[in-house]
Amino acid sequence: MSDTKLTPMQIVKEQPTSEPATTVTLATQKPRKGRGLLPTRSAKFVVGMVLVLSIVLFAIIAPFFTQNPRSTDNAALQPPSAEHWLGTTKLGNDMLAQLAIGAQGSLLVGVVAGGIAIVLSLVFGVLAGYLGGWREDALALLTNVMIVIPGLPLVMVIASFVPQRSWQLVAFVLGITSWAGAAYVLRLQTRSLRTRDYVYASKVAGERSFRVILVEIMPNLLPLLTAQFLFAIIFAILGEAGLSYLGLGPNSSITWGSILNDAQSGQALGRGAWWWFVPPGVMIAVLGAGLALINFAIDEVINPKLRNAPDAARRVRKAAKTKGVAA
C-alpha cells in the first residue's frame, strides 16, 4: 500500500472537535479585557454621579430663581401651585426656596464634617500604621477609645450644652466623632503597605518618612480614602438631619433637617401638608443613595472580586446550561 500524504488542510479538518467547555473552565476563564476596570464603567457609578451632581447643581442654581426663604409675605400652608411649586409652610415660607437653601446647608455640613473626619483618620490611621512601635500603640489606643464611644449620643450631649449652634459647629462636632472607624481601616492597610519592597527601597535610598508616606503609600490608599470620605459625608448629613429633627441642629441656618424639625413642630402631618416634609426627606434619601452607589463602585475598584463576581456568576450559569444541553 502506498503512503498517502495529507495536506495541511486535511489535517485540520480531520482533527477531532473539542468538547464543550466544563463549568470550571468557563467560571475561571479570564474576563474580557477592559471590562469593569474603572468606576466610570460601572452603572452604579454613573447613576450615583447623576444623582449627586443633580442635587449639587440644584443647590447652586435654584437659589438665584427663588424668593427669600425666610420671607413670610405668602399665604400659609398653600399646596403646590404654579406660583409656589412646592407650596408654603405654616409661616408662609416658600418651600422650594427653603429646599434650595437647605441643600446648601446640608451639603456644607457633610463636606466639612467629612473633611475633618478624613484628616483625623489620616493622622491616627496612616501615621500609626507607618510608624509602628509605641507610637502606633498610642495612636491605636485613642482610636479604639473613640470606636467604643457611641457617636450620635456624644454629638447630642455636646450640642445640648451649646445654645447657639451654627452649621460650622455642628459639622465640627460630627467630624471629630466619626473618624475612628476609617482610621482603623487605614491603619491596617498602611501596615500592609509598609512591608512592600518599593517602600523598603525608598527607606534604603534615604527618603524621609513624610515623602515615603506621601509618594509611596498615599497613592495606594486613594480609592480607600475616597470611599471613607463619601461614607463620612453620608454619616454627617444623616447625623445633622437627626440632630435638627430633635432640635439640636444648627439654629442659625436652614438645612434639610431644620425643615423637617419645623414641619414636625408645625404639625405638618396632622394638617395634611405633605409638601412640607416629603421633599426634604426625598432629597436626603436621594443624596444618600447617590453617594452610596458611588461608594459601592469604588469598593469594586478596591476589591476586584466584587467587580468580577457578576461575570463569574454569569459564566457559571452559562456553563451549567451548556453542560445540560450537551448531556
Side-chain angles (χ1 to χ4, degrees), residues 90 245 258-269 271 276:
K90 182 180 179 180
Y245 185 78
S258 66
I259 296 175
L260 291 174
N261 177 258
D262 293 339
Q264 186 270 338
S265 60
Q267 299 180 352
L269 183 61
R271 297 170 180 265
W276 196 354

PDB file of all heavy atoms in Angstrom, residues 90 245 258-269 271 276:
ATOM      1  N   LYS A  90     -46.078  76.865  57.351  1.00  0.00           N
ATOM      2  CA  LYS A  90     -47.034  77.477  58.284  1.00  0.00           C
ATOM      3  C   LYS A  90     -46.830  78.983  58.399  1.00  0.00           C
ATOM      4  O   LYS A  90     -47.773  79.736  58.635  1.00  0.00           O
ATOM      5  CB  LYS A  90     -46.885  76.808  59.650  1.00  0.00           C
ATOM      6  CG  LYS A  90     -47.840  77.314  60.711  1.00  0.00           C
ATOM      7  CD  LYS A  90     -47.595  76.589  62.025  1.00  0.00           C
ATOM      8  CE  LYS A  90     -48.527  77.116  63.115  1.00  0.00           C
ATOM      9  NZ  LYS A  90     -48.292  76.416  64.411  1.00  0.00           N
ATOM     10  N   TYR A 245     -33.779  67.366  63.596  1.00  0.00           N
ATOM     11  CA  TYR A 245     -35.136  66.888  63.866  1.00  0.00           C
ATOM     12  C   TYR A 245     -35.421  66.862  65.364  1.00  0.00           C
ATOM     13  O   TYR A 245     -36.558  67.099  65.792  1.00  0.00           O
ATOM     14  CB  TYR A 245     -35.316  65.496  63.268  1.00  0.00           C
ATOM     15  CG  TYR A 245     -36.726  64.968  63.391  1.00  0.00           C
ATOM     16  CD1 TYR A 245     -37.727  65.407  62.535  1.00  0.00           C
ATOM     17  CD2 TYR A 245     -37.056  64.036  64.368  1.00  0.00           C
ATOM     18  CE1 TYR A 245     -39.029  64.936  62.648  1.00  0.00           C
ATOM     19  CE2 TYR A 245     -38.351  63.552  64.496  1.00  0.00           C
ATOM     20  CZ  TYR A 245     -39.331  64.008  63.628  1.00  0.00           C
ATOM     21  OH  TYR A 245     -40.615  63.536  63.755  1.00  0.00           O
ATOM     22  N   SER A 258     -33.427  70.961  59.548  1.00  0.00           N
ATOM     23  CA  SER A 258     -34.200  72.017  60.212  1.00  0.00           C
ATOM     24  C   SER A 258     -35.588  72.170  59.588  1.00  0.00           C
ATOM     25  O   SER A 258     -36.555  72.505  60.289  1.00  0.00           O
ATOM     26  CB  SER A 258     -33.437  73.337  60.142  1.00  0.00           C
ATOM     27  OG  SER A 258     -33.322  73.786  58.795  1.00  0.00           O
ATOM     28  N   ILE A 259     -35.704  71.923  58.273  1.00  0.00           N
ATOM     29  CA  ILE A 259     -37.022  71.962  57.633  1.00  0.00           C
ATOM     30  C   ILE A 259     -37.907  70.857  58.202  1.00  0.00           C
ATOM     31  O   ILE A 259     -39.099  71.064  58.488  1.00  0.00           O
ATOM     32  CB  ILE A 259     -36.878  71.827  56.107  1.00  0.00           C
ATOM     33  CG1 ILE A 259     -36.106  73.012  55.533  1.00  0.00           C
ATOM     34  CG2 ILE A 259     -38.251  71.731  55.446  1.00  0.00           C
ATOM     35  CD1 ILE A 259     -35.816  72.895  54.046  1.00  0.00           C
ATOM     36  N   LEU A 260     -37.337  69.666  58.380  1.00  0.00           N
ATOM     37  CA  LEU A 260     -38.104  68.570  58.967  1.00  0.00           C
ATOM     38  C   LEU A 260     -38.506  68.887  60.408  1.00  0.00           C
ATOM     39  O   LEU A 260     -39.613  68.537  60.842  1.00  0.00           O
ATOM     40  CB  LEU A 260     -37.284  67.283  58.917  1.00  0.00           C
ATOM     41  CG  LEU A 260     -37.049  66.677  57.534  1.00  0.00           C
ATOM     42  CD1 LEU A 260     -36.112  65.487  57.617  1.00  0.00           C
ATOM     43  CD2 LEU A 260     -38.371  66.265  56.894  1.00  0.00           C
ATOM     44  N   ASN A 261     -37.629  69.552  61.153  1.00  0.00           N
ATOM     45  CA  ASN A 261     -37.962  69.937  62.528  1.00  0.00           C
ATOM     46  C   ASN A 261     -39.098  70.949  62.549  1.00  0.00           C
ATOM     47  O   ASN A 261     -40.017  70.846  63.381  1.00  0.00           O
ATOM     48  CB  ASN A 261     -36.725  70.504  63.219  1.00  0.00           C
ATOM     49  CG  ASN A 261     -37.021  70.987  64.622  1.00  0.00           C
ATOM     50  OD1 ASN A 261     -37.165  72.182  64.864  1.00  0.00           O
ATOM     51  ND2 ASN A 261     -37.111  70.063  65.562  1.00  0.00           N
ATOM     52  N   ASP A 262     -39.055  71.922  61.638  1.00  0.00           N
ATOM     53  CA  ASP A 262     -40.145  72.903  61.555  1.00  0.00           C
ATOM     54  C   ASP A 262     -41.462  72.230  61.171  1.00  0.00           C
ATOM     55  O   ASP A 262     -42.525  72.583  61.694  1.00  0.00           O
ATOM     56  CB  ASP A 262     -39.798  73.984  60.540  1.00  0.00           C
ATOM     57  CG  ASP A 262     -38.629  74.847  60.986  1.00  0.00           C
ATOM     58  OD1 ASP A 262     -38.355  74.887  62.206  1.00  0.00           O
ATOM     59  OD2 ASP A 262     -37.989  75.478  60.113  1.00  0.00           O
ATOM     60  N   ALA A 263     -41.385  71.248  60.260  1.00  0.00           N
ATOM     61  CA  ALA A 263     -42.597  70.539  59.854  1.00  0.00           C
ATOM     62  C   ALA A 263     -43.177  69.730  61.009  1.00  0.00           C
ATOM     63  O   ALA A 263     -44.398  69.658  61.190  1.00  0.00           O
ATOM     64  CB  ALA A 263     -42.286  69.638  58.664  1.00  0.00           C
ATOM     65  N   GLN A 264     -42.294  69.142  61.810  1.00  0.00           N
ATOM     66  CA  GLN A 264     -42.773  68.348  62.945  1.00  0.00           C
ATOM     67  C   GLN A 264     -43.401  69.252  64.006  1.00  0.00           C
ATOM     68  O   GLN A 264     -44.469  68.950  64.554  1.00  0.00           O
ATOM     69  CB  GLN A 264     -41.604  67.547  63.527  1.00  0.00           C
ATOM     70  CG  GLN A 264     -41.982  66.572  64.624  1.00  0.00           C
ATOM     71  CD  GLN A 264     -41.920  67.187  66.009  1.00  0.00           C
ATOM     72  OE1 GLN A 264     -41.231  68.183  66.206  1.00  0.00           O
ATOM     73  NE2 GLN A 264     -42.634  66.605  66.957  1.00  0.00           N
ATOM     74  N   SER A 265     -42.733  70.380  64.302  1.00  0.00           N
ATOM     75  CA  SER A 265     -43.276  71.300  65.305  1.00  0.00           C
ATOM     76  C   SER A 265     -44.534  72.004  64.802  1.00  0.00           C
ATOM     77  O   SER A 265     -45.388  72.397  65.604  1.00  0.00           O
ATOM     78  CB  SER A 265     -42.224  72.330  65.703  1.00  0.00           C
ATOM     79  OG  SER A 265     -41.818  73.096  64.563  1.00  0.00           O
ATOM     80  N   GLY A 266     -44.662  72.170  63.495  1.00  0.00           N
ATOM     81  CA  GLY A 266     -45.851  72.798  62.926  1.00  0.00           C
ATOM     82  C   GLY A 266     -46.968  71.831  62.621  1.00  0.00           C
ATOM     83  O   GLY A 266     -47.959  72.233  61.992  1.00  0.00           O
ATOM     84  N   GLN A 267     -46.817  70.559  63.042  1.00  0.00           N
ATOM     85  CA  GLN A 267     -47.846  69.532  62.852  1.00  0.00           C
ATOM     86  C   GLN A 267     -48.247  69.402  61.386  1.00  0.00           C
ATOM     87  O   GLN A 267     -49.430  69.391  61.033  1.00  0.00           O
ATOM     88  CB  GLN A 267     -49.068  69.840  63.715  1.00  0.00           C
ATOM     89  CG  GLN A 267     -48.775  69.872  65.202  1.00  0.00           C
ATOM     90  CD  GLN A 267     -50.009  70.191  66.037  1.00  0.00           C
ATOM     91  OE1 GLN A 267     -51.049  70.538  65.500  1.00  0.00           O
ATOM     92  NE2 GLN A 267     -49.875  70.060  67.362  1.00  0.00           N
ATOM     93  N   ALA A 268     -47.224  69.309  60.536  1.00  0.00           N
ATOM     94  CA  ALA A 268     -47.494  69.209  59.098  1.00  0.00           C
ATOM     95  C   ALA A 268     -48.226  67.919  58.748  1.00  0.00           C
ATOM     96  O   ALA A 268     -49.100  67.908  57.880  1.00  0.00           O
ATOM     97  CB  ALA A 268     -46.177  69.293  58.325  1.00  0.00           C
ATOM     98  N   LEU A 269     -47.873  66.830  59.421  1.00  0.00           N
ATOM     99  CA  LEU A 269     -48.536  65.559  59.131  1.00  0.00           C
ATOM    100  C   LEU A 269     -50.016  65.605  59.499  1.00  0.00           C
ATOM    101  O   LEU A 269     -50.879  65.146  58.739  1.00  0.00           O
ATOM    102  CB  LEU A 269     -47.827  64.422  59.884  1.00  0.00           C
ATOM    103  CG  LEU A 269     -48.351  63.017  59.629  1.00  0.00           C
ATOM    104  CD1 LEU A 269     -48.218  62.644  58.161  1.00  0.00           C
ATOM    105  CD2 LEU A 269     -47.606  62.004  60.500  1.00  0.00           C
ATOM    106  N   ARG A 271     -51.892  68.243  59.664  1.00  0.00           N
ATOM    107  CA  ARG A 271     -52.574  69.190  58.793  1.00  0.00           C
ATOM    108  C   ARG A 271     -52.660  68.712  57.351  1.00  0.00           C
ATOM    109  O   ARG A 271     -53.277  69.379  56.521  1.00  0.00           O
ATOM    110  CB  ARG A 271     -51.856  70.544  58.832  1.00  0.00           C
ATOM    111  CG  ARG A 271     -51.864  71.230  60.197  1.00  0.00           C
ATOM    112  CD  ARG A 271     -50.931  72.412  60.186  1.00  0.00           C
ATOM    113  NE  ARG A 271     -50.898  73.095  61.471  1.00  0.00           N
ATOM    114  CZ  ARG A 271     -51.647  74.168  61.779  1.00  0.00           C
ATOM    115  NH1 ARG A 271     -52.505  74.645  60.875  1.00  0.00           N
ATOM    116  NH2 ARG A 271     -51.565  74.727  62.955  1.00  0.00           N
ATOM    117  N   TRP A 276     -44.555  69.822  52.960  1.00  0.00           N
ATOM    118  CA  TRP A 276     -43.648  70.449  53.914  1.00  0.00           C
ATOM    119  C   TRP A 276     -42.550  69.485  54.354  1.00  0.00           C
ATOM    120  O   TRP A 276     -41.405  69.895  54.583  1.00  0.00           O
ATOM    121  CB  TRP A 276     -44.440  70.942  55.118  1.00  0.00           C
ATOM    122  CG  TRP A 276     -43.705  71.923  55.987  1.00  0.00           C
ATOM    123  CD1 TRP A 276     -42.417  72.321  55.892  1.00  0.00           C
ATOM    124  CD2 TRP A 276     -44.264  72.650  57.085  1.00  0.00           C
ATOM    125  NE1 TRP A 276     -42.110  73.230  56.861  1.00  0.00           N
ATOM    126  CE2 TRP A 276     -43.233  73.458  57.616  1.00  0.00           C
ATOM    127  CE3 TRP A 276     -45.525  72.684  57.678  1.00  0.00           C
ATOM    128  CZ2 TRP A 276     -43.430  74.288  58.711  1.00  0.00           C
ATOM    129  CZ3 TRP A 276     -45.720  73.514  58.767  1.00  0.00           C
ATOM    130  CH2 TRP A 276     -44.687  74.312  59.273  1.00  0.00           C
TER     131      TRP A 276
END
